[in-house]
Amino acid sequence: MTYQEKRSIVTLISTILIFAAYCLYMYPRYPEQGAELSELLHYWGAFVLVLMLISIIAHIVISIVFNIIYRMTTGEKEPGFTDELDRIIELRAHRTSFLLFILGFLCAMGSLVLEQPLYIMFDILIAAGFLADVSGSITKLYHYRRGI
Amino acid sequence: MRNNLVGNHIRRLRFDHDEMTQQQLADKVGVTRQTIVALEKGNYSPSLELAFRIARAFSLPIESIFYYEENAKK
């Protein structure tokens, strides 16, 4: 298995673990029933912003740790650049992620049209963001293994 | 399973050139080893620019390395 394939798998697993751990931490902190709209919006805004911040920091740390472990176990240095194949795969991964997120966004807006509670809209939006991230990693892994 | 219609003789040519490794060829043409692996497996058709760089690395015309096959996709 090549560096890029291993990296895609590590990214995929870490994305799932970070999201699951964060949700387990945050959902019990959901404002109690009868909370004001401003309190609910504050909760969801903080949920998304902190999740993004934690994800970025965790991915950077995991990437550094992964590169150190990769060098120690294989004796090879990780590629220091992206070539044309990497760029094409990256574009395809972005396309998949983008399409999934847009689909989720439309569903989230649909839930508002159908007069669903606010948390449904945010749940769909956050789930779409998560699935978009996961699908990007899966797309990368698929194309690194099967070609384009 | 072949994914594209452009085949190549890169693997054979590497061995004909003092058993050049995939990493050595990758360094010569400015791509990662993963890309050479994908090319040899027939999983990727290179850009014209990369094809020329590979041809230059082996000091051969491009058509001696890459070929087009109509019935590759199944």
Side-chain angles (χ1 to χ4, degrees):
Chain A
M1 199 180 282
T2 60
Y3 170 82
Q4 287 88 345
E5 288 168 9
K6 287 176 187 168
R7 194 186 163 97
S8 299
I9 291 171
V10 168
T11 306
L12 179 63
I13 293 169
S14 61
T15 301
I16 293 169
L17 290 180
I18 292 163
F19 185 76
Y22 184 73
C23 285
L24 287 174
Y25 173 77
M26 281 299 280
Y27 273 111
R29 282 158 182 76
Y30 186 75
E32 287 174 17
Q33 225 170 6
E36 284 184 24
L37 181 64
S38 60
E39 199 182 340
L40 288 173
L41 291 175
H42 178 268
Y43 170 82
W44 285 115
F47 188 107
V48 173
L49 286 179
V50 175
L51 175 61
M52 283 176 71
L53 195 69
I54 287 176
S55 292
I56 290 166
I57 294 168
H59 275 120
I60 291 169
V61 172
I62 289 166
S63 176
I64 292 167
V65 172
F66 170 72
N67 284 345
I68 292 168
I69 294 171
Y70 181 80
R71 281 188 198 189
M72 282 165 62
T73 52
T74 63
E76 282 180 40
K77 200 179 170 205
E78 72 279 1
F81 63 98
T82 53
D83 63 15
E84 59 179 50
L85 179 61
D86 295 320
R87 282 193 290 274
I88 293 170
I89 291 175
E90 190 83 18
L91 276 173
R92 289 194 180 197
H94 281 159
R95 187 177 61 184
T96 310
S97 296
F98 178 75
L99 285 173
L100 248 167
F101 184 74
I102 289 296
L103 199 66
F105 180 80
L106 292 175
C107 287
M109 293 305 109
S111 75
L112 290 180
V113 173
L114 295 172
E115 296 179 354
Q116 295 297 307
L118 196 63
Y119 75 87
I120 296 279
M121 189 274 280
F122 278 108
D123 279 348
I124 294 171
L125 212 53
I126 290 164
F130 168 68
L131 289 175
D133 207 0
V134 166
S135 68
S137 296
I138 292 172
T139 305
K140 276 187 196 173
L141 182 61
Y142 175 81
H143 285 303
Y144 275 122
R145 288 193 76 83
R146 301 295 302 272
I148 52 173
Chain B
M1 187 184 76
R2 299 295 296 274
N3 289 332
N4 56 67
L5 302 174
V6 179
N8 64 73
H9 303 295
I10 293 176
R11 188 187 291 268
R12 180 175 58 75
L13 287 166
R14 278 197 302 109
F15 283 98
D16 291 348
H17 282 71
D18 298 329
E19 298 191 1
M20 183 192 290
T21 65
Q22 289 174 330
Q23 187 61 58
Q24 285 170 334
L25 178 60
D27 291 341
K28 268 192 170 184
V29 299
V31 295
T32 61
R33 191 175 71 83
Q34 167 79 43
T35 302
I36 302 298
V37 172
L39 283 169
E40 289 188 358
K41 281 185 182 171
N43 287 339
Y44 175 54
S45 297
S47 66
L48 197 54
E49 187 187 340
L50 177 56
F52 272 110
R53 277 191 265 136
I54 291 169
R56 189 168 288 183
F58 290 122
S59 305
L60 287 168
I62 205 162
E63 59 271 26
S64 302
I65 300 169
F66 297 95
Y67 55 90
Y68 185 76
E69 47 187 3
E70 299 269 356
N71 301 317
K73 205 166 191 174
K74 292 183 180 171

